[in-house]
Amino acid sequence: GVLVQVTNGGTDYVIPGGQPLQSELFVNESDWKQAAFYLLADVLGADIKVNGLHEKTIQSGVLVLNPLRRMGAKFIDVPEGMITEMDIDRLYAINFDALECPEMLPVIMAAASLADGTTVINNYNALDSKAYEIVMNMRGELAKLGAEIAVGDNKIVIAGKRRIRGGARVSGHGD
């Protein structure tokens, strides 16, 4: 390490010259919010390995594991990252509170679209405007693929199917 002087109330940093520097290998952990769809694809049988994700993290995106586990997904945290042990035949519908992990609702909605039974996501009206917009966009894009998603009375109701059609042009809406 090197000496770093913090000044100006913590807004400025001064590193005096002439200090010996030593490099170290630093690996930044993978981003749960970005990797969760790939993890879901692995759950659904795509045989994708997601390296660098671990349950012991401060990232809020890790909360996506809770509803996915309730749906029947099985995850194992190994040194390389999260691996799954399941396929689409084992996902089940759940009742879920949108406030449990609002930023991961698109992943839950995609999983619910392929789950056996009807998933109900409650409290979606309590989402902030950005999360609400993302959920509404996801609803529209999943509908293009044949997912059955109804919104009303402060809940989202998703009738799961074994398969949804592919081949539709969908948008990521800038996310």
Side-chain angles (χ1 to χ4, degrees):
V2 296
L3 174 66
V4 178
Q5 299 168 345
V6 181
T7 62
N8 200 19
T11 61
D12 296 336
Y13 300 88
V14 176
I15 302 173
Q19 299 183 64
L21 299 176
Q22 180 179 354
S23 66
E24 292 186 28
L25 176 63
F26 177 79
V27 178
N28 194 22
E29 71 176 316
S30 297
D31 184 340
W32 273 94
K33 291 177 187 175
Q34 296 300 316
F37 274 108
Y38 295 106
L39 191 63
L40 176 60
D42 189 38
V43 166
L44 298 173
D47 196 28
I48 296 173
K49 301 299 177 225
V50 183
N51 293 330
L53 289 181
H54 297 285
E55 277 193 82
K56 188 174 182 179
T57 180
I58 61 170
Q59 296 181 55
S60 60
V62 72
L63 295 174
V64 75
L65 293 180
N66 296 331
L68 290 176
R69 282 185 169 131
R70 291 198 314 262
M71 295 175 99
K74 295 179 182 154
F75 302 97
I76 301 170
D77 194 342
V78 297
E80 296 80 25
M82 299 300 294
I83 60 173
T84 63
E85 288 188 342
M86 66 161 304
D87 60 31
I88 194 170
D89 292 332
R90 296 189 191 130
L91 278 183
Y92 302 100
I94 60 170
N95 286 327
F96 179 70
D97 189 313
L99 298 178
E100 186 175 326
C101 57
E103 70 273 14
M104 303 308 286
L105 281 175
V107 177
I108 304 308
M109 292 172 71
S113 295
L114 293 165
D116 289 335
T118 300
T119 294
V120 178
I121 301 174
N122 294 299
N123 289 327
Y124 87 92
N125 285 345
L127 298 173
D128 65 38
S129 60
K130 180 173 173 43
Y132 181 86
E133 179 182 347
I134 289 169
V135 166
M136 292 300 105
N137 288 338
M138 189 65 175
R139 173 190 179 216
E141 299 308 314
L142 286 170
K144 290 178 186 177
L145 296 170
E148 295 180 19
I149 303 173
V151 177
D153 294 332
N154 199 22
K155 63 184 172 186
I156 302 167
V157 179
I158 304 171
K161 299 179 175 185
R162 286 271 178 187
R163 297 181 65 95
I164 54 177
R165 67 179 177 267
R169 179 167 285 215
V170 295
S171 171
H173 295 273
D175 276 340

